[in-house]
Structure formats: C-alpha cells, structure tokens
C-alpha cells in the first residue's frame, strides 16, 4: 500500500514513473471524448472517497473525472458533513472509511490531519492539499514543463511571491527531480528552512534572492501563486499586497527570463495582482495546460497508490 503524502517522502524513481505514466495516459486519450473511460479501466469496481475540508475547483473536478476515466467511482464528502476531527476522531474516521472505500484523497487545513488519516487508514491516502504542502499540483507542473521543454533536471525554476504550500512542494520537487530553484519574495514570507535544507542536501542549488530582476534573469520557468491564500485572515490581505507588489510577474520581468521560458500559476488567480493578464495570456504562459494536467498527473498517482 502506497500513501502519496508529499513529494519529499516519495521515492524519486516512483515520482519519475508517475510523470511518465501521466504523459502516456494523456497521449492515449488524444481525441477521445472526456467522458469515456480509459481502455484498461484499472479502477473498475473501486470506490474512492474525496474529502474536502477546503473548497476546491480543480482538485475536486480533476480527481472526480480522473477516477471515472479509470473506471472507478467517487464519493465526495465535505468536512462539514463528516465533522472531521470534531464529532469523531480522525483516527476512527480513517478506520471506518477504510472498511468502505479503496482509497482516500483528503484536502484539508492542518498537516496533522493528513498524517493521522494516513497512520490509521488501511487503504492508501493522497494529500490533495494542506496548509503546508500541495504535492499533486507540482506533479502536474513538472509534467507540464516536460511536455513543452523536455527534462526539467538541471533547469532554473524561479518562484516569485509567497513561500506558501505550493512553493514548499516545488522545493521538494527540486531535490527529487534535480532542478535548481530560486525564491524571490519578502523575508517575512520565506519558505520553511526545512524544505530548503532538504533540496540542498539532494545536491541542487536553492537560492533566496530579494531582487526579483536578478532572480528571474536566465530562468527556464517562472512560477507564482495568489498573494492571499484561502485560509489567510482578512486583516492580512492589504499587508500582503504591500509586501508583494514588487514581485508581480509582468511583461518587463518575464522578459528577463530565457526567451523560451515558461510561466505557470496553479490558479485560481487574481489577475493583475500576482501576475498581469498580459503574462497570463501571453506566449510564455502554459497555465491552462497546467490545470488540465492535474487530471493526468493525479490519475498516475491513483494508479501508483493502488499498484495498478
């Protein structure tokens, strides 16, 4: 049984296999109606529980469609419906769900909730997002880069803005896939030192550069995310905007990257805040390929978790 809890806790060979599998499945579906199942229907007869303590568009739809394309069925549950960790312990919920379903995907707030679910479940558990990490998103991002530009190993990836959960998983991926990573943003929003140390110990360069122009120069991939996360209090919004305005990805800044550099944003986006519409809709942008590839990358994760 394989849990997919984080990129840094998953074997690099397995991660590479998932990316290759995702690309192959996407190619095999070329031209096929989206509602039709894959030929092998490897999840036929399987039930997957999708638990959402946090609201979602891409995670919910992509996992739901992905399970159905693999021939399985889904049960979508909200944290409110389940009273997760309130009316019943997370451990007991994990034990009970394991009697009903073949796999659990959970999108939650606290990392501790995910880890307790995995500890007590007797079926695989997938991290659909926590406040600390977002590994499924980065699997799609690595897939997207390699679709367009080939192997990501040895490339320079620049993250601009908030060192948040998506940034954390990108740093994990730097260590596991072998690319260099530069963070540019205010010191108050730096990524966790633990993640930087992890990637550096894997032999890649992880730099923190306060000057966004210097950071983006020569980049192969420029990435940003919303300046205000869904769990941030209202009082933090204006303060964050003031801190992050110098790190907006606009045409001038994007022009400092390599001519064939790509731009990514995991969405949803606040256009003309963290990135201008000119960049998001411009020639460097692959944001909608990136969104689509959540479906294919997560299908590969599902298959790996269940050994199919």
């Amino acid at each position: 049984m394989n849990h997919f809890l984080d990129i840094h806790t998953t074997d690099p060979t397995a991660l590479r296999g998932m990316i290759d599998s995702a690309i192959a499945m996407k190619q095999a579906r070329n031209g096929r109606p989206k509602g039709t199942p894959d030929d092998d229907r490897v999840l036929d007869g399987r039930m997957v529980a999708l638990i959402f303590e946090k609201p979602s568009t891409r995670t919910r739809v992509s996992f739901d469609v992905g399970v159905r394309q693999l021939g399985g069925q889904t049960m979508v549950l909200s944290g409110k419906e389940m009273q997760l960790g309130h009316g019943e312990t997370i451990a007991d919920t994990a034990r009970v769900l394991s009697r009903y379903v073949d796999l659990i995907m959970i999108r939650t707030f606290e990392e501790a909730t995910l880890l307790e679910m995995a500890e007590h479940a007797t079926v695989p558990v997938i991290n659909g997002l926590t406040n600390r990490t977002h590994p499924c998103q980065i699997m799609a991002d690595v897939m997207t880069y390699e679709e367009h530009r080939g192997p990501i190993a040895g490339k320079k990836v620049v993250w601009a803005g908030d060192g948040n959960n998506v940034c954390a998983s990108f740093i994990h991926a730097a260590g596991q896939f072998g690319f260099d990573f530069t963070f540019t943003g205010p010191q108050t929003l730096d990524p966790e030192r633990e993640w930087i140390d992890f990637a550096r110990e894997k032999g890649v360069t992880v730099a923190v550069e306060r000057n966004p122009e210097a950071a983006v120069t020569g980049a192969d991939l420029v990435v940003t995310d919303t300046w205000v996360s869904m769990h941030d209090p209202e009082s933090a919004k204006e303060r964050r905007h003031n801190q992050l305005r110098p790190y907006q990805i606009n045409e001038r800044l994007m022009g400092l990257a390599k001519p064939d550099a790509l731009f990514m944003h995991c969405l949803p986006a606040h256009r003309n805040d963290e990135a201008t519409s000119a960049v998001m809709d411009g020639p460097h942008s692959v944001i909608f390929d990136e969104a689509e590839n959540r479906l294919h990358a997560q299908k590969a994760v599902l298959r790996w978790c269940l050994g199919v």
Side-chain angles (χ1 to χ4, degrees):
M1 182 180 69
N2 295 313
H3 297 308
F4 185 73
L5 303 182
D6 270 312
I7 287 174
H8 72 297
T9 59
T10 305
D11 181 76
T13 303
L15 294 170
R16 168 48 55 195
M18 284 182 252
I19 296 295
D20 294 344
S21 173
I23 291 172
M25 283 188 287
K26 182 177 181 179
Q27 291 172 345
R29 288 195 63 86
N30 188 32
R32 178 180 296 195
K34 297 176 180 64
T36 58
D38 293 356
D39 289 331
D40 53 14
R41 297 180 62 93
V42 292
L43 295 193
D44 195 21
R46 308 261 192 158
M47 176 65 72
V48 177
L50 306 177
I51 302 173
F52 293 93
E53 281 201 293
K54 282 191 173 187
S56 169
T57 299
R58 275 150 294 278
T59 300
R60 176 167 179 164
V61 175
S62 58
F63 264 111
D64 200 347
V65 172
V67 171
R68 292 166 190 260
Q69 287 185 355
L70 292 173
Q73 298 183 66
T74 61
M75 177 183 297
V76 180
L77 303 164
S78 75
K80 214 176 269 188
E81 290 170 329
M82 301 177 66
Q83 295 186 321
L84 193 63
H86 301 292
E88 180 178 53
T89 67
I90 294 163
D92 285 352
T93 299
R95 294 183 182 106
V96 170
L97 284 178
S98 297
R99 302 296 182 100
Y100 299 144
V101 303
D102 299 284
L103 187 145
I104 299 166
M105 189 288 302
I106 181 167
R107 180 180 172 94
T108 187
F109 292 91
E110 299 304 324
E111 183 183 56
T113 302
L114 167 76
L115 297 179
E116 187 174 353
M117 181 73 71
E119 180 182 355
H120 296 281
T122 55
V123 298
V125 174
I126 294 174
N127 176 1
L129 175 143
T130 70
N131 285 352
R132 205 170 182 215
T133 60
H134 195 1
C136 286
Q137 178 64 55
I138 305 311
M139 293 296 284
D141 292 355
V142 172
M143 175 189 174
T144 304
Y145 184 88
E146 296 199 340
E147 268 191 317
H148 286 267
R149 296 290 184 263
I152 197 169
K155 302 300 184 182
K156 178 182 178 180
V157 175
V158 175
W159 178 279
D162 179 7
N164 62 10
N165 52 357
V166 186
C167 178
S169 289
F170 237 125
I171 297 172
H172 295 161
Q176 299 290 59
F177 288 97
F179 57 86
D180 295 331
F181 187 91
T182 298
F183 170 81
T184 185
Q187 186 174 1
T188 52
L189 297 174
D190 276 355
E192 292 184 45
R193 186 73 197 192
E194 179 182 343
W195 305 146
I196 294 174
D197 291 344
F198 166 82
R200 286 176 175 167
E201 286 168 8
K202 292 285 186 174
V204 300
T205 298
V206 180
V208 176
E209 172 57 67
R210 301 298 171 205
N211 184 322
E213 288 83 4
V216 170
T217 298
D220 296 285
L221 171 62
V222 178
V223 192
T224 191
D225 194 6
T226 180
W227 289 346
V228 180
S229 297
M230 62 182 70
H231 60 274
D232 289 331
E234 193 70 27
S235 60
K237 290 184 180 180
E238 185 58 33
R239 183 172 69 252
R240 278 178 172 267
H241 277 73
N242 290 336
Q243 289 179 298
L244 289 165
R245 274 191 193 97
Y247 300 96
Q248 181 194 68
I249 305 300
N250 50 42
E251 288 178 291
R252 180 189 61 80
L253 198 62
M254 197 70 207
L256 298 173
K258 288 182 179 177
D260 64 345
L262 298 180
F263 169 76
M264 292 188 191
H265 187 308
C266 68
L267 304 178
H270 295 90
R271 284 174 174 261
N272 300 310
D273 279 351
E274 62 267 17
T276 62
S277 288
V279 170
M280 294 183 67
D281 299 326
H284 299 283
S285 178
V286 290
I287 60 174
F288 297 112
D289 290 344
E290 182 187 4
E292 177 190 347
N293 285 341
R294 288 291 301 278
L295 168 65
H296 307 293
Q298 288 162 187
K299 285 168 64 176
V301 171
L302 287 161
R303 295 186 69 142
W304 176 77
C305 285
L306 291 168
V308 294

